[in-house]
Amino acid sequence: MRRATSWRVGLGAVVLAMVSVAGAQPPLVEDFEGAVDLTERGWRVEADETQSVWTVVDGHLEVICPRNPYKGGRIVRDVPTIERGVLEFDCRLGVEGSSNYNHLSLGLRLFEHLMAFKKYSGHHLLVHVPAENIMYSATGAVPLNEWVHYRVEFDTTRGRVEYYLGDERDPLKIDTRLTMNIEGETGELEIFNYGLTKGTVTNWVDNKGTVTNWVDNISLRAIETGGEQTAGARDRTLLILGISSERLGVEAAVREAVAGERLVVYNMQTRSSATRPTNLLTLDKVPGATTWESAQQIILADVPAGPGECLPPHLLDDLELSVSDGADLLVLGGPFALGSGQYAGTVLEEMLPVEVGGAWQLKRFEAPQALAGGAAVLWYHDAPAKPGEVRTALAAGGTPMFAWWPYGKGRVGVFLGAALGSAEDFGEATPFWEWDGWPDLVERMMTIGGVAGEEG
């Protein structure tokens, strides 16, 4: 019997389903309840008992893999081809004979895209990249002899695939080198065993799943593309915290404005390099495609795009697509943003309503300049507004500190002040980030047009 763990668990039928977003009845449903064997269910079994034994036991698929080095077997069936979709399943690997588990023991192939599990210095989910003829590790943290839930979201038109473990909102890996064969009306879903073991190993496959109105299933469902996500359907705020965001106090300000699960926070981390006298800046996690599609607001709080790939290309592509489709983007300046953050040459340079310069774009007023309500700015980005539909507000020292313009179906705003300077530098003036009205100003900037008293 399946026991509760920290992973998604359950005991019951295995169903292969293609489900539309609209919730229509799937054209293909298969459950593993009852006494019907795999062949009668539509699976082709291509294995003899020296390679593997495939049976339905207590509502899950059981795979017994004897020791037969690199001579495994498989089961395979036809499924409708899908350009963009989700495959979900559960695995419990090493149910019996876990001490014999050594090399590849179980794998899945969907439309020729291959994933497999392997034990070496940890237990890994491996992914095959045909163009490079390599297998790489999406994660080395797969537990043995525990039910683990997997979700694989793929988009063949964009050439990308996302891998999720457990019930995490965000993917553990995004790969933009996806190759899938979706020619014709049908393709294949294959489950196989292969590799090296010290002796017999038993694995189980099942799925509690997250498909609406469907439980206990291996599920393959389509995600509609084009038009299903509108500005009205967006209800989340994505906050990406950069290097000076703590001094800015922006997280507390945004949490006042956005309640509960509507706010999703990401952090830029500094990782020291042992081989170079530099720091590597990376995000602790990266939003997946469905998270971007649910975004109403995106905030970059002093977030660098470089050096390197602080914001990887696929993330910038997702951000641009999200704003084009109706999200609002707010960029808060700082010593690691705009020109100092190497926005030049990225899609952010195109999206921003101001000119992005180089590393010396950050300038200092001779003395603190009043911003609003007694708050003052000392350091700022010298970034003139671009020609076009740019609107400006919040001048300090005669220089606009906020600019915004429409971008696709969304809008992009930028605050040009930087949280730099000591108490001695400001004298009697109050740094804008210490001003009592700063949280309210952040909230108004999040509405883009609202900071200028316009409808947001």
Side-chain angles (χ1 to χ4, degrees):
M1 179 176 293
R2 184 181 297 189
R3 293 178 172 82
T5 70
S6 59
W7 306 98
R8 177 179 293 276
V9 297
L11 176 65
V14 177
V15 179
L16 177 64
M18 176 181 174
V19 184
S20 74
V21 170
Q25 287 294 315
L28 176 64
V29 175
E30 173 201 306
D31 67 58
F32 278 3
E33 292 289 356
V36 180
D37 66 23
L38 288 167
T39 302
E40 292 178 285
R41 297 171 189 272
W43 291 92
R44 301 186 296 277
V45 180
E46 300 177 6
D48 61 41
E49 61 183 13
T50 68
Q51 298 172 314
S52 50
V53 178
W54 304 77
T55 54
V56 177
V57 179
D58 295 332
H60 59 257
L61 177 65
E62 180 176 87
V63 190
I64 300 175
C65 311
R67 187 179 189 278
N68 193 343
Y70 306 104
K71 294 181 181 179
R74 69 172 192 160
I75 61 173
V76 61
R77 68 163 305 149
D78 295 333
V79 293
T81 53
I82 300 172
E83 289 190 349
R84 184 185 180 198
V86 182
L87 172 69
E88 292 193 77
F89 60 96
D90 281 341
C91 283
R92 184 173 178 180
L93 304 174
V95 177
E96 295 180 1
S98 59
S99 62
N100 294 327
Y101 197 115
N102 186 22
H103 198 38
L104 296 181
S105 181
L106 190 76
L108 291 95
R109 193 192 315 262
L110 175 65
F111 308 137
E112 299 302 320
H113 181 63
L114 186 150
M115 301 161 285
F117 298 93
K118 178 178 181 178
K119 183 182 178 184
Y120 68 103
S121 63
H123 189 214
H124 295 251
L125 171 62
L126 301 179
V127 178
H128 185 230
V129 183
E132 301 177 26
N133 195 27
I134 61 170
M135 296 283 290
Y136 74 87
S137 174
T139 177
V142 178
L144 272 173
N145 199 12
E146 293 183 22
W147 282 107
V148 185
H149 187 73
Y150 301 89
R151 186 169 89 253
V152 181
E153 296 193 8
F154 59 90
D155 187 338
T156 62
T157 59
R158 297 183 66 194
R160 63 181 281 148
V161 62
E162 302 173 0
Y163 303 95
Y164 296 78
L165 182 65
D167 293 317
E168 292 296 322
R169 178 197 307 275
D170 298 304
L172 54 91
K173 184 72 177 179
I174 298 176
D175 196 334
T176 56
R177 301 168 293 180
L178 174 65
T179 300
M180 278 189 171
N181 181 8
I182 58 167
E183 296 179 0
E185 295 184 357
T186 61
E188 290 184 341
L189 173 64
E190 172 188 343
I191 307 174
F192 64 90
N193 76 293
Y194 180 81
L196 179 66
T197 66
K198 298 175 184 177
T200 300
V201 175
T202 299
N203 300 316
W204 289 350
V205 180
D206 193 1
N207 188 14
K208 183 70 174 175
T210 57
V211 184
T212 304
N213 298 324
W214 293 92
V215 294
D216 294 330
N217 56 66
I218 297 177
S219 64
L220 173 64
R221 69 187 188 274
I223 300 175
E224 293 179 3
T225 55
E228 80 279 11
Q229 292 289 348
T230 64
R234 297 176 177 273
D235 62 357
R236 295 191 184 278
T237 296
L238 310 188
L239 172 60
I240 301 179
L241 297 173
I243 309 306
S244 71
S245 58
E246 185 174 355
R247 193 179 202 197
L248 273 169
V250 66
E251 182 175 4
V254 174
R255 288 192 183 278
E256 286 188 20
V258 182
E261 293 184 356
R262 289 184 53 231
L263 176 62
V264 187
V265 181
Y266 303 88
N267 292 277
M268 184 69 72
Q269 299 176 330
T270 302
R271 298 180 181 176
S272 296
S273 171
T275 59
R276 294 179 298 170
T278 58
N279 289 321
L280 303 177
L281 303 177
T282 58
L283 289 175
D284 58 347
K285 51 189 175 180
V286 176
T290 54
T291 298
W292 286 111
E293 289 174 350
S294 69
Q296 178 184 22
Q297 298 159 328
I298 304 161
I299 303 169
L300 302 183
D302 191 25
V303 175
E309 294 184 355
C310 302
L311 300 180
H314 64 76
L315 182 144
L316 291 174
D317 289 344
D318 286 341
L319 186 153
E320 194 277 337
L321 181 60
S322 184
V323 176
S324 294
D325 285 347
D328 288 337
L329 170 65
L330 171 63
V331 175
L332 300 176
F336 293 87
L338 281 80
S340 304
Q342 298 188 8
Y343 286 14
T346 73
V347 71
L348 287 171
E349 180 179 23
E350 173 190 333
M351 297 176 69
L352 288 179
V354 296
E355 300 290 346
V356 173
W360 305 109
Q361 187 178 33
L362 202 60
K363 299 294 180 63
R364 186 186 191 275
F365 289 118
E366 290 186 6
Q369 300 296 312
L371 178 69
V377 175
L378 183 60
W379 288 84
Y380 69 101
H381 294 272
D382 184 12
K386 291 178 180 177
E389 303 179 61
V390 179
R391 303 177 190 180
T392 60
L394 298 173
T399 301
M401 289 291 107
F402 184 80
W404 73 273
W405 70 350
Y407 187 90
K409 297 178 182 178
R411 297 169 298 182
V412 178
V414 57
F415 177 70
L416 299 173
L420 292 170
S422 65
E424 291 77 12
D425 293 332
F426 278 86
E428 298 296 321
T430 301
F432 67 84
W433 63 91
E434 295 181 2
W435 171 46
D436 289 343
W438 174 241
D440 177 67
L441 180 58
V442 170
E443 182 175 357
R444 286 190 286 129
M445 285 193 292
M446 288 168 57
T447 66
I448 307 297
V451 72
E454 302 176 37
E455 184 178 352

